[in-house]
């Protein structure tokens, strides 16, 4: 397995920052721009420096937010096209959770619900300009979702873990929805019934082709990402615990947790995120709840039901029945 310090970002996302700087007449360091080579993924350390230079050169405290609103589908690599060719908004979010590492290693997404509200959380692993970059991610998600659904998407709000970087009214004016700060999380909220919104660029044949490409890209990245390796092993062997997964990776359980901690994660949270995705997909099929619980390694059906309720806010039976919470 490769060095897990080799986290990277698609060059297309870095290009979005360079293009924004050019439009605004901002000067970025020539030596930094020289590190951006066409067709080559950008090391996360270089992306950190690029964000820092961009924000320092801008006089706008909401430079990240503005960049997110200007983001195009093409800046998200093949994953961007995959997302917009999905049949529904809900399907697109499932693909985003799965394939976000193709865009970059700056963070991960988790989908969950609470009653009649659903949320897509962004959990960043960023040290440099974290607030600006989180704002860029959620603003781009909002803008591109509105576009992909033909303007039908109506968010209930955006929540940021950080304090506002400018007057709160400026956020509302730019985003067109309620904005909350110091929330302890970073997520976009919406009514669960909007998961069924059709997308205007839906194309099942192209989606399937792009999914194969995304699988290939994700597998290629896996050799450099401990997170991806753990996710792959949990998908293949959902019954395995930390020690068994660690042994497969030639690590001790303690070393595995320490390495994941460097990426801002824990084995428990990572495993539960994968099991949540697997459970949601399995419940859309014909398997009984007890069979799914057993296949995912739960001690009994009750333990699975309790975990699923914690993840999704509803029981597996209600989710399977399509009770407004099918994430």
């Amino acid at each position: 397995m490769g060095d897990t310090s080799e986290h990277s970002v698609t060059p297309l996302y870095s290009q979005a920052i360079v293009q924004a700087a050019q439009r605004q007449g901002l000067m970025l360091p020539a030596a930094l721009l020289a590190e951006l080579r066409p067709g080559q993924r950008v090391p996360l350390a270089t992306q950190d420096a690029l964000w820092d230079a961009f924000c320092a050169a801008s006089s706008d405290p909401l430079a990240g937010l503005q960049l997110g609103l200007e983001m195009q589908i093409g800046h998200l690599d093949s994953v961007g096209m995959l997302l917009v060719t999905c049949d529904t908004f809900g399907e697109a979010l499932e693909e985003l959770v799965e394939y976000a590492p193709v865009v970059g290693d700056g963070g991960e997404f988790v989908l969950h619900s609470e009653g009649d509200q659903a949320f897509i959380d962004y959990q960043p692993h960023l040290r440099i300009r974290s607030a600006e970059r989180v704002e860029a991610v959620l603003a781009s998600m909002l803008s591109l979702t509105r576009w992909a659904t033909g303007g039908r998407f109506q968010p209930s709000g955006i929540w940021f873990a950080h304090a506002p970087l400018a007057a709160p009214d400026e956020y509302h004016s730019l985003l067109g929805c309620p904005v909350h700060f110091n929330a302890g999380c970073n997520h976009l909220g919406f009514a669960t019934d909007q998961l069924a919104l059709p997308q205007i660029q839906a194309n099942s044949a192209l989606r399937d082709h792009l999914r194969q490409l995304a699988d290939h890209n994700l597998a290629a990245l896996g050799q450099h990402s401990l997170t991806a390796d753990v996710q792959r092993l949990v998908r293949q062997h959902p019954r395995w615990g930390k020690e068994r997964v660690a042994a497969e990776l030639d690590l001790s359980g303690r070393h595995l947790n320490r390495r994941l901690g460097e990426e801002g994660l824990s084995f428990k949270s990572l495993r539960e995120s994968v099991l949540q995705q697997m459970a949601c997909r399995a419940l859309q099929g014909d398997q009984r709840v007890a069979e799914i619980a057993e296949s995912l390694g739960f001690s009994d059906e009750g333990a699975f039901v309790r975990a699923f309720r914690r993840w999704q806010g509803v029981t597996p039976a209600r989710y399977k029945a399509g009770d407004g919470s099918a994430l």
Side-chain angles (χ1 to χ4, degrees), residues 74-252:
H75 292 134
L76 305 182
D77 210 311
S78 58
V79 173
M81 286 300 299
L82 170 60
L83 298 182
V84 299
T85 53
C86 290
D87 290 335
T88 65
F89 171 51
E91 182 187 340
L93 289 183
E94 290 182 349
E95 302 289 10
L96 175 63
V97 170
E98 181 82 8
Y99 296 111
V102 174
V103 180
D105 288 319
E108 65 174 327
F109 294 91
V110 176
L111 191 58
H112 66 98
S113 69
E114 297 175 12
D116 63 355
Q117 289 289 302
F119 303 91
I120 180 71
D121 286 20
Y122 179 61
Q123 300 175 351
H125 313 147
L126 304 166
R127 295 173 298 173
I128 306 297
R129 299 285 183 176
S130 179
E132 290 90 339
R133 294 161 79 172
V134 166
E135 291 185 358
V137 169
L138 292 185
S140 64
M141 188 183 304
L142 173 63
S143 175
L144 294 175
T145 299
R146 282 171 169 160
W147 177 83
T149 59
R152 296 178 63 191
F153 177 65
Q154 298 293 326
S156 54
I158 287 181
W159 285 255
F160 291 119
H162 57 266
L165 304 182
D169 287 349
E170 292 187 45
Y171 284 87
H172 186 272
S173 176
L174 288 168
L175 297 171
C177 70
V179 185
H180 310 274
F181 301 94
N182 299 310
C185 58
N186 300 294
H187 62 211
L188 173 64
F190 47 90
T192 53
D193 59 10
Q194 295 200 69
L195 290 163
L197 283 175
Q199 300 205 127
I200 60 175
Q201 298 290 327
N203 183 325
S204 58
L206 181 55
R207 176 204 60 202
D208 292 345
H209 171 73
L210 290 167
R211 188 179 288 149
Q212 291 179 359
L213 178 60
D215 281 335
H216 174 77
N217 290 338
L218 196 60
L221 290 172
Q223 61 186 313
H224 299 299
S225 170
L226 180 60
T227 296
D229 278 334
V230 171
Q231 290 173 323
R232 172 178 54 80
L233 287 171
V234 172
R235 289 190 195 98
Q236 293 173 352
H237 309 281
R239 292 172 170 277
W240 285 7
K242 179 181 65 179
E243 297 298 332
R244 182 67 182 85
V245 169
E248 189 71 14
L249 298 172
D250 295 323
L251 299 170
S252 68

